[in-house]
Amino acid sequence: MHVRRVTAFVGSARKRHTYHAALQFLDGLKALGGVEYEIVALSDHHLGVCRGCRACMDKGEEWCPLKDDRDMLIEKIMASDGVVFATPNYSFQVSAIMKIFLDRIGFAFHRPRFFGKTSTNIVAQGIYGGDKIVKYLDFVGYGLGFNTVKGSCIRSLEPVTEKRQKATQQTLAKHSKRFHERLMGPAYPAPTFMDLMIFRMARQSIRLMLDEGSRDHIYYKDKGWFESDFYYPARLGVTKKLAGSLFDSIGARMYRQRPA
Ligand SMILES: Cc1cc2nc3c(=O)[nH]c(=O)nc-3n(C[C@H](O)[C@H](O)[C@H](O)COP(=O)(O)O)c2cc1C
């Protein structure tokens, strides 16, 4: 059996609740079989704060003026079958380190690349706000091209009662199971109608609104995405083929530039 590699990126500078929740999740995953894992503490790595120059988006990621561990961390994602974004809730959002990491790979929202990989997220929080962060990270994973599995939020308000500890264990055990199922399933699942719509709209916007020499346009062209049914080879039934054509024409109407 092909052993699946899972990498968890932890966005807390200390090895406390977020780290332990990630560990518990990963141990649960490993116990289900066929998985090996690595935990990467983002605070052990050098990540610069995005300066907003947009060089990565407009010209290409190799033009980024920051010299840090970004590419090494991206290589870790590329070498993984599954990825976990684990973060504490800080002021109702992901931690600053996690956000810095997401900004560093933000160009991949324009040029998605993590297809065939599964992602999820874990949020550790004191009291409130984590559910929205889970939803945010679900969305981030999807936008980067991952097959996303709904994340989970655990409560860590100290002292952690026995009841709370049990609830956390249950949440994480369920989460491990849900992720394992997906990780062991097809890496390239058939796109849903929503997936198709997003892909077709995105490619029309890039085809019609961007210059042919722009990095995103070249990326889509090189990938064959202006002609393909989806980001990756997928067999579409008649209904999805029709829906795809409909999304293409809606996109064309929406993004066609009007003469000045
Ligand atoms: C700067 C800061 C902001 C926080 N903001 C929130 C918050 O908005 N909501 C919440 O429920 N907990 C909040 N917390 C509590 C943390 O989410 C909680 O302590 C979590 O367990 C920290 O993760 P760690 O144990 O991995 O460091 C905050 C903690 C810090 C240090």
Side-chain angles (χ1 to χ4, degrees):
M1 185 178 44
H2 157 57
V3 174
R4 309 302 202 270
R5 278 188 65 81
V6 177
T7 306
F9 295 95
V10 176
S12 173
R14 54 182 208 160
K15 280 192 179 156
R16 291 292 295 280
H17 299 287
T18 313
Y19 182 89
H20 287 295
L23 192 60
Q24 215 169 306
F25 168 85
L26 292 165
D27 281 337
L29 204 59
K30 199 171 171 187
L32 292 166
V35 171
E36 58 182 40
Y37 68 73
E38 182 188 4
I39 301 185
V40 176
L42 292 174
S43 55
D44 288 344
H45 294 274
H46 171 48
L47 281 172
V49 178
C50 173
R51 296 178 192 162
C53 67
R54 292 186 56 97
C56 64
M57 292 182 184
D58 299 338
K59 291 207 297 182
E61 56 272 26
E62 64 278 19
W63 290 88
C64 176
L66 300 175
K67 300 295 164 238
D68 60 11
D69 292 342
R70 179 196 68 178
D71 291 349
M72 187 264 269
L73 293 171
I74 292 176
E75 271 165 35
K76 281 192 182 291
I77 301 180
M78 294 313 286
S80 306
D81 303 291
V83 164
V84 184
F85 298 99
T87 180
N89 171 352
Y90 280 0
S91 313
F92 313 107
Q93 246 307 341
V94 296
S95 66
I97 315 172
M98 180 57 77
K99 186 59 168 57
I100 285 170
F101 178 48
L102 297 178
D103 290 346
R104 297 296 287 117
I105 59 177
F107 65 87
F109 290 109
H110 287 235
R111 303 186 290 277
R113 59 198 59 207
F114 302 123
F115 302 106
K117 303 178 188 299
T118 306
S119 82
T120 194
N121 62 81
I122 297 170
V123 176
Q125 71 171 357
I127 302 173
Y128 177 76
D131 291 337
K132 280 195 181 144
I133 305 173
V134 167
K135 278 198 185 128
Y136 162 70
L137 286 171
D138 287 346
F139 181 75
V140 162
Y142 183 80
L144 292 170
F146 289 102
N147 301 320
T148 48
V149 171
K150 190 178 168 335
S152 60
C153 177
I154 60 120
R155 292 264 299 267
S156 64
L157 190 67
E158 292 179 15
V160 180
T161 61
E162 215 172 290
K163 193 173 158 207
R164 174 63 55 202
Q165 222 172 328
K166 269 200 183 138
T168 297
Q169 270 166 7
Q170 267 178 9
T171 302
L172 293 172
K174 265 197 212 160
H175 191 179
S176 298
K177 230 175 137 195
R178 158 160 111 243
F179 189 77
H180 190 267
E181 231 172 79
R182 192 72 187 262
L183 190 65
M184 295 296 160
Y188 297 93
T192 62
F193 284 99
M194 181 62 94
D195 297 335
L196 264 183
M197 186 181 80
I198 290 168
F199 168 67
R200 300 298 175 102
M201 294 292 195
R203 80 163 169 199
Q204 292 296 51
S205 74
I206 283 167
R207 194 166 67 86
L208 296 167
M209 302 198 37
L210 295 186
D211 191 89
E212 278 186 17
S214 77
R215 185 64 184 247
D216 293 356
H217 199 287
I218 293 168
Y219 188 80
Y220 268 64
K221 194 167 179 216
D222 287 352
K223 296 264 177 212
W225 286 348
F226 290 129
E227 288 80 37
S228 64
D229 282 337
F230 192 56
Y231 290 113
Y232 49 78
R235 238 194 250 154
L236 303 183
V238 180
T239 325
K240 281 190 181 160
K241 270 199 187 297
L242 283 172
S245 307
L246 180 68
F247 299 142
D248 277 338
S249 55
I250 295 172
R253 238 176 294 146
M254 270 173 75
Y255 298 115
R256 194 166 292 134
Q257 277 171 335
R258 294 189 179 91

